[in-house]
């Protein structure tokens, strides 16, 4: 139920510093490590000798050594050496295309012949000195599309995040959903309201008063396979809202990269990029801590939702106008997977 001929965020660079990392992505067990010249590599997490996980081994001089019997593997998935043994004829293991870009390591779990680094979406906030970013990673036991649904309908903030970013005005503001090419966009704008606790903190962090009415916005953008970037912010009321001069607002991009692990679990790379006071490390840490708590609140709800759905496969879920963003996102995913299946069939027939 997930595309494979596409780029997913696999891990963050610090996860493979000095050691291999085993991670299952789209049902494929992989091991990530740094090869020669510090370049990232990814191969199947399977030693061709006795089937041990290569991720339990070590990395030395850009080569991966199995932690069971010392078989040394190269970045190309082929055996290099083994103490006292000839391994030149050993079968290789699968190699996965990887790219390190924008502070993340990306992997292509599908057909390597189709992998094109140019397909990784450009992230201006990740390369501009005018932006700061802080984030983290959660492992969540629910299907990745449930997380997409969650992020494309922020109505739940009023209830799940009532102590941080939720407020009753979210329920009262109309939501619009539209397509921009292959991107789904849902928008909600609130005027002349008081900021919730998280945004009061952000206003103070930007040197702005937090006890005056504000205009607030949420613009969620889904891009296949599972990337959701959300423009959020508040501005002092009457100063132009979303288009207000930076002197009067605190705005950010909520970053959500959702990477399927299995049919009922995923890796959730979350964070927030902001374009005010980018050099303030303490503010970055404070926002990261706040965001981490907010996202952890989603985890229990989504995992319990998944259990309910597995226990009641016969029950049909209701679709309301607030669900339009998730519905349209799933339609795009269906198109992507249908195209991928057609490519596979054409290749098999060739």
């Amino acid at each position: 139920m997930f595309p494979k001929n596409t780029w997913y965020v696999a891990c963050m660079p610090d996860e493979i510093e000095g050691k291999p990392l085993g991670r299952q992505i789209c049902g494929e067990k992989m091991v990530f490590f740094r090869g020669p010249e510090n370049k990232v590599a990814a191969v199947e997490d399977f030693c061709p000798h006795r089937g041990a996980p290569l991720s339990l081994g070590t990395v030395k001089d850009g080569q991966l050594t199995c932690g069971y019997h010392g078989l040394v593997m190269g970045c190309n998935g082929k055996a290099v050496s083994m103490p006292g043994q000839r391994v030149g004829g050993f079968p290789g293991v699968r190699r996965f295309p990887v790219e390190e870009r924008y502070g993340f390591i990306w992997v292509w779990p599908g057909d390597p012949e189709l992998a094109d680094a140019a397909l990784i979406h450009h992230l201006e906030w990740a390369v501009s000195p005018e932006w700061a970013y802080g984030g983290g990673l959660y492992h969540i036991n629910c299907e990745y599309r449930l997380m997409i649904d969650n992020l494309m309908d922020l109505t739940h903030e009023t209830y799940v995040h009532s102590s941080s970013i939720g407020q009753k005005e979210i329920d009262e503001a109309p939501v619009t959903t539209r397509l921009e090419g292959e991107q789904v966009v849902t928008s909600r704008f609130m005027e002349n309201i008081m900021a919730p606790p998280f945004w009061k903190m952000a206003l103070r962090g930007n040197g702005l008063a937090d006890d005056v009415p504000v205009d607030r916005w949420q613009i969620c953008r889904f891009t296949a396979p599972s990337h959701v970037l959300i423009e959020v912010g508040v501005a002092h009321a009457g100063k132009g809202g979303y288009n207000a001069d930076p002197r009067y607002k605190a705005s950010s991009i909520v970053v959500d990269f959702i990477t399927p692990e299995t049919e009922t679990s995923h890796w959730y790379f979350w964070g927030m990029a902001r374009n005010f006071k980018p050099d303030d490390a303490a503010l970055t840490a404070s926002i990261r801590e706040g965001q981490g708590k907010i996202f952890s609140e989603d985890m229990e709800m989504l995992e319990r939702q998944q259990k309910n759905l597995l226990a009641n496969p016969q029950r049909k879920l209701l679709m309301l106008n607030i669900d339009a963003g998730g519905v349209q996102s799933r339609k795009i995913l269906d198109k992507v997977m249908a195209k991928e299946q057609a490519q596979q069939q054409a290749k098999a027939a060739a």
Side-chain angles (χ1 to χ4, degrees), residues 188-205:
R188 179 186 270 112
F189 298 90
M190 295 156 273
E191 296 182 350
N192 202 36
I193 63 173
M194 298 306 294
F198 177 86
W199 284 109
K200 284 180 180 290
M201 180 270 291
L203 285 166
R204 293 193 300 271

Side-chain angles (χ1 to χ4, degrees), residues 168-180:
K168 62 181 179 60
E169 287 87 353
I170 294 175
D171 282 349
E172 298 166 356
V175 182
T176 61
T177 300
R178 66 185 187 276
L179 291 177
E180 293 183 359

